[in-house]
Amino acid sequence: MLEPAHAEAEVVVVGAGVAGLAVAGHLTGMGVRVLVLEAAGGIGGRMSTEKVDGFRLDRIGRLLSTSYPELRRTPGLDGLVLRPFSPGVLVHSEGRRYRAGEPAAPRRARGAFSAARALATAPRSPRGTRPPLGGPLDHARLGAALARLAATGPARLLARPELPAGRALSVRGLPARTLHGFVRPLLSALLCDPELTTSSRCADLALHAYAAGRLAVPEGGADTPPELLAAALPPGTVHTGVRVTAVSANSVTTAEHGRLPCRAVVLATGATAAAELLPGLHVPPFHPVTVVHHAAPEPPLTEPALLLDADRLGPVAHTTVISQVDPSRAPAGRTLVSSTVLGAPPSDRELRVHLAALYGTGTSGWETLAVHHDPHAVPAMPAPHDPCRPVRLLDGLYVCGDHRATSTVQGALHSARRAARAALTDLGLPSPATPPRARGMTVGEAA
Ligand SMILES: Cc1cc2nc3c(=O)[nH]c(=O)nc-3n(C[C@H](O)[C@H](O)[C@H](O)COP(=O)(O)OP(=O)(O)OC[C@H]3O[C@@H](n4cnc5c(N)ncnc54)[C@H](O)[C@@H]3O)c2cc1C
């Protein structure tokens, strides 16, 4: 039930995903009275976690980067702990696994030089022989490329010519082995885009985030960031189970409580719902994603690694023993394996056969805990893609979410910052200063 005081909010935010909760945090931090209305029974939107028998099962693929600036800057995320994967990724190809793409350590990031020296001194294979993928030369090449990327700022990356990522990669002169054995499978996983139709600029941003930090998951589950954001808001700000059916610059209409007047509205739903409320808004195509969780009798891999399939011999794009990355995801002594399929749910048999090949172990004894499929998981970002779509539609009417930026948690949070700033300006209030680095977010130790 909405109390009369709540119905007198200055700004109504529609949607309690990370974007809506973040925009509410920016606004309440400047003294604005805010009401967040969420249609679902709980908060978090796409970042939700199902709890089954002590397991914490994310609905989303779970690749954040410790280098995402908004995780450090968004008010409320101070308590966020990120559990990093082991450095680089494990790639499965031609029946074996190898480590690739360990990002340059921060001290060495200025040193494309040291990576270049490693490249020059890496042992070559004898003439005419084909070295195994993942050998020292591959490491040196990748180290050099990643060090350069980590040191290149987003503004310069966004100024590069824009092509579909797959095409851009093939004209950049990367050795085919590096391309097929690391860059393609990694980008597919980061972008949820197996065909790499994404804008090369967005792909470069994703690789930059990878190279400048560590892949990580939020401790406790994907729902931890939205829970932290909501907990930082004044009590009574968020109302679940309230569906907004119409919006204007000075009111929203809800199915449950009728019309609520206000001074401004921020639409923070996903792209499709936003266009239903405001016809004419851009609706991108989407990448469908399926996330499958298995309980295994013991860890098929003890390392907290992200395992990618370079050969695409089965439905799984990437998989991890998530309980080794974040032990809070499984009850003590139990093992949780989480795998991501970039498309529709495969058959149980296909999945088990592929996972058995990737981990090199039998999977018939694994118990399927959940299969989460979202046909609208990730807004596609084909070239040309504007990663800073306007968030101010009118004085008093704003829109944010990943579809106004890049299709990531970082993008959703950044769009929220921009929308809050625009609303505060129109309300005649100052914008909060952007903290250069967080005090907050902690990177935990890998298990
Ligand atoms: C399977 C999957 C894998 C992903 N993998 C990654 C990844 O590896 N890395 C990464 O960074 N990102 C990933 N993402 C993307 C990331 O989850 C999203 O970018 C982010 O959660 C978007 O947040 P949002 O607040 O913009 O939108 P949402 O989370 O969609 O929130 C919108 C909210 O608005 C509510 N709403 C809609 N209509 C109404 C209405 N009429 N009235 C009231 N409320 C309404 C919805 O119920 C929802 O709660 C993945 C997503 C999925 C689904």
Side-chain angles (χ1 to χ4, degrees), residues 277-321:
L277 291 168
L278 286 177
L281 277 185
H282 172 71
V283 183
F286 292 88
H287 295 303
V289 179
T290 304
V291 181
V292 185
H293 299 281
H294 287 104
E298 57 194 33
L301 189 68
T302 50
E303 187 185 341
L306 184 71
L307 174 57
L308 309 177
D309 179 17
D311 299 339
R312 293 169 71 178
L313 291 179
V316 176
H318 55 94
T319 178
T320 185
V321 186

Side-chain angles (χ1 to χ4, degrees), residues 135-165:
L137 190 58
D138 296 312
H139 278 290
R141 278 196 177 118
L142 274 174
L146 290 172
R148 275 196 302 276
L149 256 176
T152 308
R156 276 182 60 199
L157 295 174
L158 289 173
R160 287 179 169 185
E162 191 174 23
L163 289 171

Side-chain angles (χ1 to χ4, degrees), residues 13-21 37-40 42-47 59-65 68 189-190 192 242-245 267-271 273-274 276-277 287-291 318 340 372-374 376-379 400-403 406-413 415:
V13 177
V14 185
V18 281
L21 294 167
L37 302 178
E38 167 57 53
I43 63 164
R46 276 168 280 167
M47 294 194 74
R59 292 186 167 274
I60 74 161
R62 67 247 131 222
L63 305 178
L64 304 183
S65 170
Y68 280 174
L190 296 177
C192 296
V242 182
R243 174 167 294 281
V244 171
T245 55
L267 200 48
T269 66
E276 281 166 8
L277 291 168
H287 295 303
V289 179
T290 304
V291 181
H318 55 94
T340 297
H372 295 139
H373 175 65
D374 188 341
H376 299 114
V378 177
C400 65
D402 58 355
H403 57 108
T406 56
S407 306
T408 59
V409 174
Q410 159 67 20
L413 293 174
S415 73

Side-chain angles (χ1 to χ4, degrees), residues 22 26 69-78 229 413 417 439:
H26 291 300
E70 290 297 334
L71 293 179
R72 300 179 175 278
R73 292 174 177 164
T74 302
L77 292 183
D78 307 51
L229 291 170
L413 293 174
R417 174 183 300 285
R439 312 146 303 271

Side-chain angles (χ1 to χ4, degrees), residues 19 50 82 116 167 187 191 206 219 223 246 262 292 318 348 390 420:
E50 191 185 1
L82 290 182
R167 186 127 51 88
L187 268 180
L191 302 168
E219 186 173 78
D223 63 353
C262 54
V292 185
H318 55 94
D348 184 62

Side-chain angles (χ1 to χ4, degrees), residues 382-393:
H385 178 81
D386 180 358
C388 272
R389 276 183 196 283
V391 291
R392 180 185 187 273
L393 304 176

